[in-house]
Amino acid sequence: MKHLIRNWLDENSVNLLKKLLNKKLNSIITEEIGDYSLLAMLDCENNQLLIRNTPKIQSDNEEYPCLVVTETNKRIDGYKIISINQIIRSISIIKDIVTWRYNNTKWMIESDIAIKIDLGEYNLWIISHDSLAGFIKVLRTKESIMCNNQLLDEYWSMKTDKLDSLVREEIIIV
């Protein structure tokens, strides 16, 4: 048996992110639960976008993280507000292509696992987490966490303890 699973940001989500290029990101608002968040709202000069991890059941009857971006005109109050006040220089999607085997079953997964927002002085990372609650992690860092971060390195540990292959790529969308 073989499972081919694709969890990509949909076209609408990508188009909404593209609109943010060269816009000022005023703040990011998160609904935190411990070390994770349930949502991230990007508060920009002319609009607000919500980013959520909405797990989807796939052909193996398991849920896989799936990032979804939507527009909102509602201000989210009472959550953690991180002041940014920087211009968005570029936005990238971090995509993993992974394979593994267990018994006579093979998995091939293509999944958009994170969104990286380049703000010049540092990057803002929104990373999905494999959880029933749809957790995300929001990080600000000057360094690249593409290949050297525990959150990304252990991303697939909930599905398997032995990957046959892992290819991680950064796709600049704007």
Side-chain angles (χ1 to χ4, degrees):
M1 176 172 263
K2 185 176 182 178
H3 295 285
L4 175 60
I5 295 165
R6 291 188 170 121
N7 270 356
W8 300 332
L9 273 95
D10 62 28
E11 185 178 352
N12 185 56
S13 293
V14 172
N15 287 336
L16 288 171
L17 290 170
K18 284 180 180 180
K19 290 180 181 180
L20 299 182
L21 183 63
N22 297 319
K23 299 282 193 261
K24 182 178 179 184
L25 178 58
N26 299 318
S27 61
I28 184 163
I29 301 166
T30 61
E31 180 181 4
E32 293 192 352
I33 298 180
D35 292 336
Y36 294 94
S37 297
L38 289 174
L39 62 84
M41 187 180 98
L42 304 177
D43 180 23
C44 293
E45 57 190 70
N46 293 326
N47 62 345
Q48 290 97 23
L49 298 182
L50 277 178
I51 301 175
R52 295 179 190 258
N53 172 9
T54 307
K56 294 185 179 178
I57 295 178
Q58 297 293 343
S59 62
D60 61 354
N61 291 320
E62 292 284 329
E63 286 189 338
Y64 289 80
C66 187
L67 292 169
V68 177
V69 181
T70 56
E71 274 186 302
T72 185
N73 58 5
K74 295 180 184 177
R75 180 78 179 165
I76 299 174
D77 294 319
Y79 297 107
K80 181 177 179 183
I81 300 172
I82 303 165
S83 182
I84 303 290
N85 295 314
Q86 299 286 326
I87 301 296
I88 296 173
R89 294 182 176 194
S90 71
I91 300 174
S92 302
I93 296 171
I94 309 306
K95 180 183 294 297
D96 275 2
I97 301 170
V98 298
T99 61
W100 71 82
R101 280 176 267 155
Y102 181 74
N103 292 332
N104 291 328
T105 304
K106 182 175 182 174
W107 283 262
M108 187 203 176
I109 319 262
E110 295 179 20
S111 186
D112 296 338
I113 65 167
I115 297 169
K116 175 184 149 191
I117 301 172
D118 179 355
L119 298 167
E121 293 179 27
Y122 55 87
N123 294 315
L124 180 67
W125 293 79
I126 301 166
I127 305 167
S128 61
H129 180 71
D130 193 359
S131 67
L132 295 175
F135 290 137
I136 58 175
K137 186 78 169 175
V138 178
L139 299 172
R140 285 191 294 182
T141 180
K142 292 182 180 184
E143 303 143 12
S144 173
I145 62 172
M146 277 284 290
C147 299
N148 199 12
N149 181 277
Q150 188 175 1
L151 281 174
L152 292 181
D153 289 346
E154 294 181 358
Y155 189 88
W156 295 102
S157 64
M158 293 293 287
K159 299 295 183 213
T160 183
D161 57 357
K162 176 144 177 23
L163 296 176
D164 290 337
S165 67
L166 168 61
V167 176
R168 179 166 289 139
E169 57 186 332
E170 178 177 349
I171 302 162
I172 298 173
I173 60 171
V174 292

